[in-house]
Amino acid sequence: MAQLWKGAPVAAALTEELSQRAQALVAKGITPTLAIVRVGERPEDLSYERGALKRCEKVGIAVRQYLLTAASSQTDLMEVIEEINRDDSIHGCLLFRPLPKHMDEAAICAALSPAKDVDGITAGSLAAVFSGSGAGYPPCTAQACLEILDHYGYELKGKRAVVVGRSLVIGKPVSMLLLGRHATVTICHTRTADLPAECRRADLLVAAAGKAGAVSAQCLASGQVVLDVGINVDEDGNLVGDVDFAAAENSVEAITPVPGGVGAVTTSVLARHVIEAAEKAIG
Ligand code: NAP
């Protein structure tokens, strides 16, 4: 039976450390503050927002919400981003994406001050992830994968990692973070010729496809560690990952559950980035 690598203990350990750092900032007269920018009311954004609000409250981070309707214009959103950039009392910004189709997402992301880019959406932050320079903040979900591996004592050096998904939000940045820790990384996608064969060779399998069942029983092998990043709703309305969980439970070494796995750690990483940004702001 596979070990369940839950996110809650990882998040709890991070929260305790972050609360102390938040208190130290408050003692210096700084309230670490996150701006949340949401356009429209997509259920997945609302769900992540609830988690982020709860986590920030636990840590001691103030949140300012900027809520725009889905019909808002590019100019409306740009004005909000510029206001956040100008406001020295805001240390980080979380912008929910994808933005509505009538908006130029690349231009909006590029407008955010790199110092406040706590979710790795600007080209500069992503370049830092790819160069391994350590400047900027990696996308929170990608970093959450590393936090889980570290918490459960998984040594990455020399391991064969296979990542399913190549988005700029998860697949590519998590691949670069794993490479930076000396794993040998293969990135798979919808045009991969034989996904099961690629996946079966993995010591560490990271599923970030956004499709229930994309990582089937044929992709799994004994001894594997599986991080299931996917968040999908199945035909019965249940939240499920990308991995055939029933098959994984009986074959792999360890797997993160959905819900309660990677997602539970992502908001803690976000909180840590806000604290770091506030610490940097006071020098
Ligand atoms: P995305 O932009 O849709 O990218 C999905 C990637 O997976 C694409 O590269 C796609 O390949 C690949 N893919 C899709 N179906 C596949 C299949 N059957 N076989 C192989 N590759 C496949 O999604 P995303 O933004 O990266 O998000 C991925 C998942 O993570 C979603 O379920 C999302 O809800 C979840 N998520 C979780 C968290 C968290 O905190 N746990 C946070 C954010 C998102 P192509 O490039 O060839 O199209």
Side-chain angles (χ1 to χ4, degrees), residues 140-162:
C140 295
T141 306
Q143 182 61 37
C145 293
L146 274 285
E147 299 296 331
I148 290 176
L149 295 171
D150 288 343
H151 181 91
Y152 287 99
Y154 188 78
E155 169 64 62
L156 276 162
K157 192 167 35 172
K159 295 281 170 38
R160 193 189 298 274
V162 173

Side-chain angles (χ1 to χ4, degrees), residues 48 141 164-171 188-192 195 207-211 214 228-232 242 262-264 266:
Y48 185 47
T141 306
V164 183
R166 56 175 164 179
S167 76
L168 272 179
V169 180
I170 305 167
C188 299
H189 44 80
T190 54
R191 287 354 119 72
T192 296
L195 185 70
K211 191 162 180 287
D228 194 351
V229 182
I231 299 177
N232 313 293
D242 291 345
V262 178
T266 301

Side-chain angles (χ1 to χ4, degrees), residues 8-244:
V10 189
L14 283 169
T15 301
E16 194 178 320
E17 181 219 319
L18 293 174
S19 303
Q20 287 167 13
R21 285 165 69 180
Q23 280 166 26
L25 282 163
V26 170
K28 290 179 183 162
I30 306 290
T31 303
T33 301
L34 171 70
I36 294 184
V37 182
R38 172 164 52 79
V39 183
E41 310 221 319
R42 297 188 327 138
E44 51 270 57
D45 294 349
L46 293 170
S47 153
Y48 185 47
E49 187 175 317
R50 278 193 296 276
L53 289 169
K54 224 162 98 185
R55 181 67 53 197
C56 286
E57 194 188 343
K58 271 194 186 149
V59 168
I61 293 171
V63 176
R64 263 186 255 161
Q65 288 168 282
Y66 295 82
L67 308 179
L68 287 81
T69 67
S72 302
S73 69
Q74 167 97 1
T75 313
D76 295 336
L77 180 55
M78 198 59 101
E79 279 170 7
V80 166
I81 299 293
E82 281 162 6
E83 187 184 326
I84 289 168
N85 286 345
R86 278 193 305 270
D87 189 334
D88 290 340
S89 67
I90 293 175
H91 304 103
C93 173
L94 172 68
L95 168 69
F96 288 111
R97 295 176 297 158
L99 294 170
K101 293 221 180 326
H102 65 276
M103 290 184 176
D104 180 348
E105 190 166 302
I108 297 286
C109 291
L112 180 64
S113 160
K116 300 186 182 189
D117 181 19
V118 290
D119 196 22
I121 67 169
T122 61
S125 297
L126 287 170
V129 173
F130 278 66
S131 69
S133 72
Y137 305 97
C140 295
T141 306
Q143 182 61 37
C145 293
L146 274 285
E147 299 296 331
I148 290 176
L149 295 171
D150 288 343
H151 181 91
Y152 287 99
Y154 188 78
E155 169 64 62
L156 276 162
K157 192 167 35 172
K159 295 281 170 38
R160 193 189 298 274
V162 173
V163 177
V164 183
R166 56 175 164 179
S167 76
L168 272 179
V169 180
I170 305 167
K172 282 177 183 163
V174 79
S175 299
M176 291 304 118
L177 294 175
L178 295 170
L179 188 63
R181 300 280 287 273
H182 311 298
T184 302
V185 183
T186 301
I187 306 175
C188 299
H189 44 80
T190 54
R191 287 354 119 72
T192 296
D194 188 346
L195 185 70
E198 297 293 347
C199 290
R200 276 198 306 271
R201 296 166 68 224
D203 300 309
L204 170 68
L205 187 54
V206 181
K211 191 162 180 287
V215 175
S216 64
Q218 289 71 40
C219 295
L220 304 169
S222 65
Q224 287 180 332
V225 164
V226 182
L227 301 184
D228 194 351
V229 182
I231 299 177
N232 313 293
V233 180
D234 71 8
E235 53 281 6
D236 302 323
N238 300 313
L239 225 51
V240 295
D242 291 345
V243 179
D244 179 339

